[in-house]
Amino acid sequence: SFGDYYKEEAITWAWELLTKEWGLDANQLWATCFKDEKGEIPTDDEAADIWRAQDKFDPDHVMFFGRKDNFWEMAEVGPCGPCSEIHIDLGESFCNKKGEAGHVCHVNGDCKRFLEIWNLVFIQYNRLSPTQLEPLPAKHVDTGMGLDRVVAVIQNVYSTYRTDLLMPLMHKVQSLTGQTEQEMMENVTPYRVIADHGRAATFLIADGVVPGNIGRNYVCRMIIRRAARFGKMIGLTRPFLSEIAQTVIDNYGEAFPELLQNKNTILDNLNREETRFARTIEAGMGHLEELIANLKKLGKTLLPGSEAFNLYATHGLPFEITRDVLREQGLDVDEASFLQAMEGHRLASGANKAFGTMGADDVDVYRSIFENLKKDNLLPSDGVGYNPYDDLEVEGKVLAILIDGNPVTRATQGDFVEIILPKTGFYIESGGQVSDEGSIVGADGKGWEIKVMDMRRPAAGIITHIGEVVKGTPAVGDRATATVDSQRRKDIMRNHTATHLLHAALHNIIGKHARQAGSLVAPDRLRFDFTHPQALTPSEIKEIEEFVNRSILENYRLSIGLKPITEALEDGAMALFGEKYGEIVRTISIERQERLSLELCGGTHVDETGDIGIFIITSEGSAAAGIRRIEAITGRGAYRLIQQRFDAIARISDMLESTPDNLTGRVSDLLDDISHSKKQLSQYRQEIANLKFNQSLDEVVFIKGIAVLSLAVPNVDADALRGLIDRFRQKYNDGVVALGTIVDGKPMIVCGVTDTLVKAGIHAGDIARAVAQEIGGSGGGRPNLAQAGGKDAGRLQLALDKVIPFVKAKIGEND
């Protein structure tokens, strides 16, 4: 609750739910409240008194604890406040410290008799420093209740894994292993991991979070792989998590219909990820075992983080699995240096180079500006007015100017500035849509101008226009007109509405599992990431493009409204995983007689789909594991592309002395001619090579009865060289041959050895490796036929000259 209700309501409702709705014994419940051991923060007697006033609450069951247990802080500064926790006495049988000298069971003790099931955080202070707190103008409640714990208490079982939330999953694992109940309990950890992780992965994928390499997608991948590894520990060698997920869907599907709707996606992703991990684990675990053996040999117990990162980056072995395996053997991993290695890799790959970070001091500057403007009645309490949907041109006084984050009274031409006005119609980058651009011009004859290139909201209540002074000297207090670049805005609106049509097309053509996983809406293009396991086929891409263009031509009307989020979701609106939504949300509906699309969206859109003009997909590819990416253009950009393509077709038609209508046939004829010419050229080259080879047979050197030939043959490929080598081996029973050529500017050598010499220990692969060193490359292959390649074509003959000495040395060794 943010300012709606506070301590009395939160405590009363918690007590009512626990004792009246769920029927827990009031005599078993205890409440803890805050009392500062340093004596600096007031004791929370208010919460204690409210607890004592509850029906059937034992007044002696209120206990006070200090900062560690009963005071919540988000950071060194910022919102904070006392906590009030609810604990339940499970009885003496739950104490795991019986018989230990001096042990006494108590709340927040070190045994398992007392279990915390609820925590109420009363956020009533703002910490300014380690010793300074100020009361917040509005007081808030953050309540957290452990569902699994409460269910265990209600169902009177000693473990959350024994509840009907998780036990059916453990029994499913048991049915797969064929173990008895006793065998399961003797090795229960893998069962618990699989049940817990299997449930988590099922819900993640249902919410659109597929296995991947970054962020929440990495979390999904990691828990699937960890569960798969624990399955292997109890004999589950084939993919099994889809069967666990099916049990989750069966048990939870009625309460969570999204599990049923996304069943196929869930099962497919789990099977695919387990299969992929089975391949990864073989290589990764082999390397990890070598590292463990080396650690033990050196008498060390800590694996360097750089080694763990190499296992992850090179072999795909998640850090968590590396840590698990090490700890099972009494070792550990340096997590700090692992994170350091990961951060170094991230920076080296270019992440975060374009943008700086905004520190607390930066935020404080803007907060101070806001408070001063509010105090002087230049801004209302809710801050700068923001209406990007209607106000593309606004007028008002310049309230503040900042250069490099510092307030100034005026700026001059060439300065890069941030400008604060009483209101704005410029859109601030959000939900994938980029910020607006435009201009701010001085009124009343001032004549100055600022080119606005970006927008940001650096602190609550403050919106700044970021740009360059291109004319004159703007000053605080000047009247000004801020105008959005309307043409650019229209381009963005076309692309944004097109993303909604694209989303609908994906759902209709490849399935409901294709959920948005990221987007970019810019004036020149749109980019749409979605969950899908494989590349789209050309026919699917064509069908998606046709769906969107058909929807454009149908000229659907957009309906934009505000409604409570619960009502919007019940109405079928799509909410994106990870996005934050308020109680009231903005909905974008595209419909005529039937609805085509309904999404929660704060972006700007066209009035009718016909305003988009045309939609062209320019690319489809992989954005990450399990994530595909479509890029497309609309409107003016699409028209320009069509014109460019028509111009290109016209030029090509002229070059080929054809017409656009006959161009395909003309190109097909030319390709046939080229193919025929290539075959003829290849035949001529082969004949020339054969002639040169026949002439060169006189150059064969005999070393103790072994025929040896090394020869450069120009203008042939590897196949031609292999054909000549076959001819050589047919002519000589005991022979070694190495033929070289240059292909695309790079040297290549093919080596052959007759079978009789292979048995004698002369291998073509050894010759290939030897000559490859001379041309700066590598070589290898079978004992009777091998190939070498390199970079230095100028040393080809020098490499071939090494063949005869190599054979002589080999024969000498065999004598």
Side-chain angles (χ1 to χ4, degrees), residues 569-646:
L569 295 176
E570 287 171 3
D571 201 25
M574 282 188 287
L576 301 182
F577 186 92
E579 289 290 327
K580 296 179 176 65
Y581 299 102
E583 286 298 315
I584 303 297
V585 293
R586 186 169 180 263
T587 61
I588 308 295
S589 176
I590 304 175
E591 57 189 79
R592 188 181 285 164
Q593 283 144 353
E594 61 181 19
R595 179 187 296 158
L596 187 65
S597 168
L598 177 62
E599 298 194 29
L600 307 182
C601 180
T604 60
H605 289 270
V606 298
D607 295 327
E608 297 170 324
T609 59
D611 296 338
I612 296 171
I614 195 167
F615 171 87
I616 299 174
I617 293 176
T618 55
S619 70
E620 188 277 338
S622 173
I627 307 287
R628 305 300 298 178
R629 170 172 292 172
I630 284 177
E631 296 200 8
I633 53 178
T634 68
R636 293 192 302 160
Y639 174 74
R640 282 193 297 269
L641 180 63
I642 292 170
Q643 286 298 101
Q644 290 168 6
R645 297 285 166 86
F646 270 116

Side-chain angles (χ1 to χ4, degrees), residues 18-203:
L18 290 170
T19 60
K20 295 182 180 178
E21 297 296 326
W22 291 341
L24 300 186
D25 186 349
N27 293 320
Q28 291 180 265
L29 298 175
W30 295 66
T32 65
C33 297
F34 173 69
K35 183 174 183 178
D36 188 12
E37 67 273 24
K38 296 183 179 180
E40 297 172 355
I41 307 171
T43 299
D44 194 3
D45 290 319
E46 180 185 4
D49 290 341
I50 296 170
W51 279 116
R52 294 187 185 105
Q54 299 306 309
D55 183 39
K56 297 182 181 178
F57 184 88
D58 185 342
D60 294 333
H61 282 196
V62 173
M63 302 186 71
F64 289 91
F65 291 89
R67 299 187 180 199
K68 180 177 177 246
D69 295 303
N70 281 76
F71 197 84
W72 175 86
E73 298 183 81
M74 65 176 288
E76 293 181 0
V77 295
C80 57
C83 303
S84 190
E85 298 173 347
I86 306 171
H87 297 250
I88 186 166
D89 182 356
L90 299 173
E92 291 184 15
S93 62
F94 281 80
C95 175
N96 60 330
K97 299 283 185 177
K98 288 180 182 178
E100 290 190 11
H103 172 72
V104 178
C105 299
H106 62 86
V107 172
N108 283 333
D110 59 351
C111 75
K112 295 184 178 180
R113 174 173 172 174
F114 288 87
L115 178 70
E116 179 195 340
I117 57 175
W118 201 301
N119 185 18
L120 295 164
V121 179
F122 303 123
I123 307 170
Q124 63 190 67
Y125 301 115
N126 180 31
R127 182 175 288 285
L128 303 176
S129 71
T131 58
Q132 187 180 6
L133 296 177
E134 66 175 9
L136 287 170
K139 299 176 181 179
H140 316 304
V141 180
D142 180 10
T143 181
M145 185 272 293
L147 173 65
D148 285 345
R149 293 187 181 192
V150 169
V151 172
V153 171
I154 292 173
Q155 295 180 357
N156 196 29
V157 292
Y158 64 86
S159 166
T160 58
Y161 291 96
R162 284 285 178 179
T163 67
D164 59 9
L165 295 173
L166 287 167
M167 200 63 198
L169 308 182
M170 293 177 64
H171 281 148
K172 181 61 182 179
V173 179
Q174 184 187 357
S175 73
L176 295 174
T177 62
Q179 294 184 342
T180 65
E181 186 84 9
Q182 181 179 346
E183 288 172 327
M184 178 178 75
M185 297 314 298
E186 287 173 353
N187 190 22
V188 74
T189 298
Y191 286 85
R192 290 179 170 181
V193 171
I194 293 168
D196 176 71
H197 287 30
R199 180 177 68 170
T202 301
F203 273 92

Side-chain angles (χ1 to χ4, degrees), residues 523-544:
D524 59 334
R525 71 194 190 283
L526 66 91
R527 185 181 71 217
F528 192 82
D529 296 347
F530 58 98
T531 54
H532 190 58
Q534 69 257 349
L536 298 180
T537 64
S539 62
E540 285 174 330
I541 294 172
K542 182 179 179 182
E543 195 175 352
I544 290 165

Side-chain angles (χ1 to χ4, degrees), residues 345-396:
H345 175 76
R346 186 182 70 84
L347 293 174
S349 64
N352 207 35
K353 287 183 179 178
F355 301 96
T357 56
M358 189 167 69
D361 292 343
D362 191 17
V363 174
D364 288 342
V365 168
Y366 294 97
R367 189 177 291 136
S368 175
I369 290 172
F370 174 55
E371 292 298 332
N372 289 333
L373 292 172
K374 188 169 66 171
K375 183 176 64 178
D376 295 338
N377 294 319
L378 295 174
L379 275 181
S381 59
D382 56 352
V384 173
Y386 181 56
N387 184 5
Y389 310 113
D390 301 313
D391 296 339
L392 296 190
E393 183 173 290
V394 299
E395 295 182 355

Side-chain angles (χ1 to χ4, degrees), residues 207-208 216 431-432 496 499-500 503 506-507 513-520 527-531 574 576-577 579 599-600 627:
D207 276 338
R216 53 183 177 252
H496 202 152
T499 64
H500 287 221
H503 204 177
L506 291 167
H507 279 188
H513 68 276
R515 298 189 177 196
Q516 182 175 339
S519 69
L520 169 69
R527 185 181 71 217
F528 192 82
D529 296 347
F530 58 98
T531 54
M574 282 188 287
L576 301 182
F577 186 92
E579 289 290 327
E599 298 194 29
L600 307 182
I627 307 287

Side-chain angles (χ1 to χ4, degrees), residues 283-299:
M285 287 298 292
H287 286 278
L288 178 56
E289 286 168 5
E290 290 178 9
L291 293 171
I292 289 172
N294 191 49
L295 279 177
K296 290 180 177 179
K297 182 179 177 181
L298 297 173

